[in-house]
Structures are given as structure tokens and as C-alpha cells.
Amino acid sequence: VHVRDVAHPETDAQKQDVETVLAQLHKAEGATAPTLIEAWNKTDLLPPDRRAARLARATGEGGREGGPDGPRVVAISALTGDGVADLVAAIDRAAYGPTQTVQVRLDAADGRTRAWIAARGRVVEETFDEDGAVSLTAELAADAHAQLTDMLGRARARAAE
């Protein structure tokens, strides 16, 4: 995440400096550049017309800022909190890719599956029954979702034997 002060008069020059340094680091390490999300901070300090233009660009109306994976630019104000939830969502999409929601009920003794789900996704909701069983709603990447479906299917087949 590249946090930019978009209210600074040299914001575009600062962006170029950061991109130059990142390119040099990646070249030196022989690595490909990771997904970059720009957090356009201090939007609360912009005059109304510039603020509206920045917000429009950040939501994809300006071209490269938007895409099928979601925004690569998110307008925020760390002071007011505006846009922070959108930034967290963009980070989540970049980290996990497209996700699928899964709802499962696990026996109290099945901590291994619960830990597996938590390690590979994000637990959205978790409730416990009076018998200690846990009901989970989680978001998993497509490959992890397929693995979990297979694991649960095999466990049900073993239980039916």
C-alpha cells in the first residue's frame, strides 16, 4: 500500500520518486512487482472541486484506477476515516483474490478444521451451540474453498461408514 498525501502540491512528483525506488528494488532483487494499492490520503484537505475530481478518479472514472479486481486507488482521510473501509476491502481483495463464502458447522472436537479455515481465509462470523459445536461463516479463496469441500466430503463419507 502506497499512502500518498494528495493534498501536497508535489504529490505527483512524490509518487514518481516512490515508483522509481520500488522499480530499482525489484530489479535488484530480480522479483516481480507486487500488486500496488494507492491510498490517496488527506482528501479532507482538498478544495471541494479537486476533492470531487480525486474521488471520481479513485472510483475508476479516470481510467487505470479501477479494474475487474477492484480499485487500485482508494481515496481516504485518515483524520475523518472516510474511505478506510474501502481501503481495507481493496487490501483484502489483493491479498485473497476472489473469495467464496462458506458456512459450516463443526463438532466441538474439530479444532483442526476450524484452524485450517482461519489460516486460509477470513472468519466472518462464529457462534457456538450449547453442545460446543461451532458454526462458521468464512470467506475463502476459490482453491481453498474447493479443498475444504473435498475435506468435508471425505469426512462425511468416513462418518457414514
Side-chain angles (χ1 to χ4, degrees):
V1 176
H2 176 197
V3 180
R4 292 181 53 196
D5 176 355
V6 295
H8 192 281
E10 297 296 322
T11 188
D12 291 329
Q14 291 171 341
K15 174 187 173 178
Q16 281 303 124
D17 291 344
V18 169
E19 287 178 347
T20 299
V21 170
L22 289 175
Q24 291 170 347
L25 289 172
H26 291 112
K27 183 178 179 183
E29 294 174 4
T32 56
T35 300
L36 181 67
I37 298 170
E38 286 187 26
W40 287 355
N41 192 28
K42 299 189 181 181
T43 54
D44 55 296
L45 297 179
L46 294 171
D49 58 330
R50 281 189 57 212
R51 183 172 193 273
R54 287 284 181 174
L55 292 175
R57 285 181 61 201
T59 55
E61 294 176 16
R64 73 167 188 82
E65 289 78 21
D69 298 334
R72 293 292 180 228
V73 173
V74 181
I76 68 168
S77 168
L79 180 66
T80 67
D82 288 343
V84 173
D86 295 333
L87 177 60
V88 171
I91 293 168
D92 191 50
R93 279 190 303 275
Y96 294 108
T99 61
Q100 294 179 329
T101 301
V102 62
Q103 294 179 327
V104 296
R105 185 176 185 275
L106 304 172
D107 291 333
D110 197 1
R112 173 178 269 175
T113 303
R114 194 265 178 235
W116 188 94
I117 292 169
R120 287 162 181 81
R122 183 171 72 92
V123 175
V124 177
E125 186 176 356
E126 181 174 31
T127 59
F128 295 91
D129 298 343
E130 56 278 348
D131 61 355
V134 61
S135 294
L136 288 177
T137 301
E139 293 177 346
L140 295 170
D143 61 337
H145 183 271
Q147 289 174 350
L148 177 65
T149 301
D150 185 53
M151 285 171 35
L152 294 174
R154 285 182 283 147
R156 279 192 286 276
R158 280 193 304 274
E161 293 175 348

